[in-house]
Amino acid sequence: MKIVKPKKDAAYFLLFVFSFLLLWEWLRPLKELTDTGHISIFLSFVFVSLMMTYFNMPAIPGALIKIIIILYSVHTMFFDGSFFSFKWVSGLFTEVISNANFIVNANWTEISNEFRTLLFFILLWLLTYLISYWLINRKQIFVFFFMTLVYITVLDTFTPYNADAAIVRTVFAGFFMLGLLSYYRMGLKELAKKNLYSAKKWMIPLAAMVVLSVGIGYAAPKAGPIWPDPVPFITSYNQDSGEGSGVQKVGYGTDDSALGGPFIGDDTVVFSTEADGRHYWRIETKDVYTGKGWITEKSDTSMPVEFRPEQPVPMQPFEPGGVKTEERTSTVTPKIGYPHLVYPLGVKQVDAGAGYSSLQFMLDLETEKITSLPDGQSGSFGPYSLTFDYPVYSVDKLKEAGKEDMAGEQNAAFLEKYTQVPEGLPERVVNLAEEITKDKQTWLEKAQAIEAYFHSNNFVYDQTNVAVPADDQDYVDQFLFETQRGYCDNFSTSMVVMMRSVGIPTRWVKGYTEGDYLDTTDDGRRHYEVTNNNAHSWVEGYFPGVGWVPFEPTQGFSNNVQFENNTNNTPSTTVDNQEDVTAPEASKKPDIPKEQVQADKPAASVSNSLKNAGAFLTDHFGKILQTVLVLAVFLAIMYRLRGNWLPAFYILLYKGKKQNKYLEKAYIVLLKQLRTYGLKREDGQTLRDYASYVDSFFATSDMRRLTAKYEEYLYRGEREEDMWQDVKKHWENMIRKSGA
């Protein structure tokens, strides 16, 4: 096919100018996001390459000039001396050979800057060639325009690069180029007379339309995002636990300074246990809420405490005589090499077993995190056994505890630490906590009222459609008053802040739930398997004279804490209005089967599911409607542009067909496609005359050859075995042209 090159008028020159601007958008972020220098040299190379195409420079001289520019640029950047001495050429040749070996051996980090620069110039060369091909041969630039938009929006989303202005520039240049190329295609199709649609008459309204539409889009008010930030979801694939365990998905991690956003599940087994009953597994606590998440405030006087396996664990979660306890044991078999221990509340001693004669443990008094030190070095070990006091809390003692029991300078410092909230905490959070607890007299009643608040009021447990607070937004405030949708971190952090707001000392606890029940051992102990999906956070409140008491605000969870009413001496468990509430005798009953226990995956009845589905539809009707409208517009655009993508679909459909019967079907498809293109067959016009008209338009002979074979098949039948195979290439040529 003969390439018809546009006339070198102002419109044609503008095409290359805007092409240069689009390529510039690819280079702008490099200076900010990488250590790439000499951006002006790369831009100059792009400009010269495009101008060579504009002035129709022959291929071989053009290639030689580009090679000279590349070599001169590399010499300027990395080599000393005169360019014409050529002494540096041997050094560059050596670099190329050695770096080629690095590439073959996949040693990507060893590639030198000289070779990277050389590859980057080659990439720019290819890009300018592709743009020239799209402009002159195809007269289409949408693919590159779309790729540029995707590139800068991805950088804007996942890097510090601010692409607001870049998006405006790209849309302006891209729309203008699309309009100009449409002008040239219309001229070539003879659907419009050139003397009626001169470039000047086309460009003026096009420029006005592009400027007006881009200006309105930039200045118009924008709605906030309707979907959660994708960054936490994607980066959750690459979370490092900070404990030497490598890349994790969801599970235990040390950085809780920026909570929020969705996460994905991970069934990787962290450890297995044999226990006397169900209980949560603690790792650490955190005490400072920042408005975005949790950090630990280290004290200069608080030094880690070391102890050995035969020594008691130096922690006292319960006040002496404040809690009735039952001694229990649990065995932990780690599956991942974490250096920290998991343990239940009330742990007294860790038995490392044989083979760890030099083992030591280190307890961080601020976080209560226990780290193992085998052979004096931080590392993992196991299996290990834990002896702990399982608490049964006295309701009467808890009701008696209050602020008046916290007199004294030391207790005042303790109270200040565990009732801390940020100065910028929105007032309505405090007001809500006071409203919920206004009729309650004791700390226990206030804590239980706040806990119960999260099991009502349309709070929804969700792991995916979870918001991330804006820069000027408080994490708890957003959850309580805007989304009411989230997972354990949302619920537990909100309860801690609300309890602190009414003066109850509280801390945030991280660890795992009991895990998935597997079976019961011969000695009656229960076997559990704990995965990353079981990672969880909850609340512990401090009651003077009693100690730390766990609370569970998250929808669908029960931490099996036992309370004892002294009046009838009957133990009971925390009630959280969920179906999996443990009965008073729960500690003696068989555990719930694995199918019914999913830590951090709440059990829900059919009615609750329907209720949540109805609430979701009600809350998100506007978003669903917008999505449907966007989808409808997308389908309409795809239908409108069907002439551009249908040829590729038809080629894929008929390319592998061998039977002659497909000749007729493919020919009819081609006729429809040519009509869509604008080459309409007149009434009474024979196929041969129409084929001659089409061939004259495209300067080919493919349509006549195809039509002759089609008529032979139609009127004489299958006289040849490979009729379709013989003309398939002519059909493919024509179907491609019909989509140009």
Side-chain angles (χ1 to χ4, degrees):
M1 176 180 176
K2 183 180 179 181
I3 303 300
V4 181
K5 296 184 178 180
K7 181 181 178 181
K8 289 187 177 64
D9 52 12
Y12 186 60
F13 179 75
L14 284 176
L15 283 176
F16 283 86
V17 171
F18 285 123
S19 298
F20 172 75
L21 294 178
L22 286 183
L23 270 171
W24 194 353
E25 296 300 338
W26 287 76
L27 298 178
R28 286 178 186 271
L30 299 182
K31 189 173 183 179
E32 181 177 340
L33 302 179
T34 70
D35 58 355
T36 304
H38 304 284
I39 298 296
S40 59
I41 295 179
F42 297 120
L43 282 173
S44 301
F45 175 77
V46 170
F47 180 79
V48 171
S49 299
L50 290 175
M51 288 299 99
M52 287 181 182
T53 303
Y54 176 77
F55 289 109
N56 298 328
M57 180 169 286
I60 294 179
L64 290 175
I65 292 176
K66 291 176 183 177
I67 291 174
I68 292 173
I69 293 175
I70 292 174
L71 293 177
Y72 183 80
S73 300
V74 172
H75 170 268
T76 302
M77 295 179 192
F78 300 103
F79 295 95
D80 298 324
S82 172
F83 173 75
F84 298 101
S85 67
F86 297 110
K87 295 180 180 179
W88 57 274
V89 176
S90 59
L92 179 61
F93 181 77
T94 303
E95 286 285 342
V96 171
I97 298 299
S98 59
N99 281 274
N101 291 328
F102 292 148
I103 292 178
V104 171
N105 297 320
N107 295 327
W108 311 111
T109 58
E110 302 297 326
I111 298 177
S112 66
N113 290 331
E114 293 89 337
F115 193 69
R116 294 175 194 270
T117 303
L118 207 59
L119 293 179
F120 191 53
F121 271 115
I122 295 173
L123 175 62
L124 294 177
W125 189 343
L126 292 175
L127 281 176
T128 54
Y129 169 77
L130 284 174
I131 288 180
S132 302
Y133 172 79
W134 286 328
L135 291 179
I136 298 174
N137 295 52
R138 301 290 296 173
K139 296 176 179 61
Q140 293 180 339
I141 201 66
F142 178 77
V143 172
F144 184 69
F145 170 48
F146 179 74
M147 289 168 56
T148 306
L149 279 177
V150 172
Y151 168 72
I152 59 179
T153 51
V154 167
L155 290 183
D156 181 72
T157 302
F158 298 103
T159 72
Y161 182 65
N162 187 346
D164 292 350
I167 292 175
V168 174
R169 292 190 299 265
T170 302
V171 170
F172 180 84
F175 280 5
F176 208 96
M177 294 179 70
L178 291 174
L180 289 177
L181 290 172
S182 296
Y183 158 74
Y184 284 113
R185 289 198 302 271
M186 290 177 66
L188 292 175
K189 292 179 183 179
E190 297 181 355
L191 296 178
K193 298 292 184 180
K194 265 298 186 73
N195 58 349
L196 294 179
Y197 289 92
S198 66
K200 185 176 180 180
K201 292 181 179 180
W202 180 269
M203 287 170 57
I204 292 176
L206 173 63
M209 182 193 69
V210 172
V211 171
L212 182 63
S213 59
V214 173
I216 292 175
Y218 181 79
K222 283 85 172 172
I226 62 175
W227 305 111
D229 189 351
V231 177
F233 178 79
I234 296 174
T235 56
S236 63
Y237 283 93
N238 299 310
Q239 286 179 345
D240 193 329
S241 69
E243 296 292 320
S245 60
V247 177
Q248 301 291 324
K249 293 182 180 178
V250 64
Y252 169 74
T254 58
D255 186 3
D256 303 297
S257 59
L259 300 178
F263 67 85
I264 59 172
D266 181 13
D267 293 328
T268 302
V269 178
V270 181
F271 59 94
S272 61
T273 69
E274 291 184 6
D276 294 333
R278 300 169 62 183
H279 58 75
Y280 280 5
W281 296 93
R282 305 168 89 251
I283 296 178
E284 63 179 336
T285 69
K286 294 195 174 179
D287 53 7
V288 178
Y289 173 65
T290 64
K292 300 296 182 184
W294 291 95
I295 61 175
T296 300
E297 190 176 59
K298 293 292 185 180
S299 172
D300 296 335
T301 59
S302 178
M303 299 296 294
V305 177
E306 293 186 5
F307 64 98
R308 301 184 64 82
E310 63 272 11
Q311 297 175 330
V313 177
M315 279 194 295
Q316 294 182 346
F318 313 127
E319 296 288 346
V323 180
K324 184 169 69 174
T325 60
E326 173 187 341
E327 186 173 282
R328 295 185 180 182
T329 59
S330 293
T331 302
V332 177
T333 303
K335 304 296 183 181
I336 294 179
Y338 285 132
H340 61 254
L341 273 64
V342 294
Y343 60 90
L345 180 67
V347 63
K348 298 193 300 183
Q349 190 171 355
V350 183
D351 184 4
Y356 292 99
S357 57
S358 60
L359 181 67
Q360 288 183 319
F361 300 108
M362 180 178 291
L363 170 66
D364 187 329
L365 295 177
E366 296 291 338
T367 65
E368 297 192 349
K369 187 174 187 177
I370 302 176
T371 306
S372 59
L373 301 171
D375 299 322
Q377 302 294 324
S378 178
S380 63
F381 83 105
Y384 54 91
S385 296
L386 301 157
T387 303
F388 64 98
D389 287 330
Y390 182 80
V392 178
Y393 295 98
S394 168
V395 173
D396 290 344
K397 286 188 177 181
L398 290 173
K399 287 183 177 181
E400 293 172 358
K403 187 175 182 179
E404 59 276 4
D405 300 315
M406 301 288 291
E409 182 177 346
Q410 183 176 356
N411 287 338
F414 178 90
L415 193 64
E416 180 181 2
K417 176 180 180 179
Y418 288 107
T419 56
Q420 171 273 336
V421 293
E423 293 183 2
L425 182 70
E427 187 177 351
R428 60 179 179 175
V429 174
V430 179
N431 293 339
L432 176 62
E434 293 176 346
E435 177 66 24
I436 294 171
T437 61
K438 65 180 181 179
D439 297 328
K440 309 302 179 184
Q441 302 300 319
T442 67
W443 277 7
L444 176 63
E445 292 172 332
K446 292 181 179 182
Q448 290 177 332
I450 295 174
E451 183 182 39
Y453 178 78
F454 291 101
H455 299 302
S456 57
N457 299 286
N458 297 321
F459 283 95
V460 177
Y461 183 93
D462 193 348
Q463 299 175 349
T464 55
N465 189 22
V466 183
V468 177
D471 293 340
D472 58 347
Q473 196 171 30
D474 184 88
Y475 176 71
V476 169
D477 181 80
Q478 181 193 56
F479 175 66
L480 291 175
F481 297 100
E482 296 185 16
T483 64
Q484 294 187 322
R485 177 181 296 272
Y487 42 88
C488 57
D489 290 348
N490 299 88
F491 286 91
S492 58
T493 300
S494 298
M495 182 173 179
V496 171
V497 172
M498 293 175 74
M499 287 180 65
R500 289 183 172 189
S501 298
V502 294
I504 304 175
T506 318
R507 63 187 180 184
W508 189 66
V509 190
K510 291 176 56 182
Y512 300 89
T513 59
E514 67 272 9
D516 298 331
Y517 171 78
L518 298 179
D519 52 43
T520 302
T521 61
D522 294 338
D523 57 358
R525 293 166 64 82
R526 301 171 187 175
H527 186 198
Y528 296 90
E529 190 174 70
V530 181
T531 70
N532 277 326
N533 283 330
N534 300 123
H536 192 53
S537 61
W538 61 97
V539 179
E540 287 182 357
Y542 182 80
F543 291 80
V546 177
W548 291 102
V549 181
F551 294 92
E552 179 54 270
T554 305
Q555 286 273 13
F557 291 83
S558 173
N559 62 5
N560 307 302
V561 176
Q562 289 196 13
F563 296 93
E564 182 181 71
N565 292 310
N566 294 351
T567 54
N568 53 19
N569 205 30
T570 303
S572 62
T573 57
T574 302
V575 178
D576 61 357
N577 298 328
Q578 300 299 306
E579 294 182 356
D580 61 348
V581 172
T582 311
E585 302 298 325
S587 61
K588 300 180 181 178
K589 289 185 177 181
D591 215 315
I592 300 176
K594 179 180 180 181
E595 293 81 0
Q596 299 178 19
V597 178
Q598 293 291 330
D600 227 7
K601 294 181 180 179
S605 64
V606 175
S607 60
N608 283 339
S609 299
L610 293 175
K611 179 181 178 182
N612 290 338
F616 178 84
L617 291 175
T618 302
D619 295 340
H620 299 82
F621 177 79
K623 298 177 183 178
I624 295 173
L625 180 60
Q626 291 179 25
T627 304
V628 172
L629 291 176
V630 170
L631 182 61
V633 172
F634 173 78
L635 293 176
I637 293 174
M638 293 298 294
Y639 179 79
R640 180 68 180 82
L641 300 176
R642 64 191 184 280
N644 295 330
W645 58 267
L646 271 177
F649 170 77
Y650 288 136
I651 291 174
L652 183 64
L653 182 63
Y654 290 107
K655 189 176 183 66
K657 308 297 184 183
K658 297 182 179 180
Q659 297 92 335
N660 288 336
K661 64 180 181 179
Y662 291 103
L663 172 58
E664 179 181 4
K665 297 180 180 179
Y667 189 87
I668 294 174
V669 165
L670 176 60
L671 292 179
K672 294 180 180 179
Q673 194 64 19
L674 289 170
R675 184 169 65 250
T676 303
Y677 185 83
L679 300 176
K680 184 178 180 181
R681 180 186 173 193
E682 302 294 337
D683 294 337
Q685 189 178 27
T686 65
L687 285 177
R688 293 189 179 186
D689 290 340
Y690 180 68
S692 298
Y693 166 67
V694 172
D695 280 340
S696 65
F697 181 86
F698 288 113
T700 69
S701 60
D702 293 319
M703 190 65 184
R704 281 173 289 178
R705 294 180 182 181
L706 178 62
T707 300
K709 188 65 69 173
Y710 170 71
E711 290 182 335
E712 181 180 350
Y713 170 82
L714 198 63
Y715 298 114
R716 299 183 183 180
E718 296 186 34
R719 301 182 61 181
E720 301 177 17
E721 291 184 1
D722 298 321
M723 298 178 70
W724 171 232
Q725 295 289 353
D726 292 341
V727 296
K728 186 185 295 185
K729 62 180 180 179
H730 302 300
W731 176 84
E732 289 184 16
N733 290 339
M734 293 308 305
I735 202 76
R736 284 194 177 96
K737 290 178 173 58
S738 69

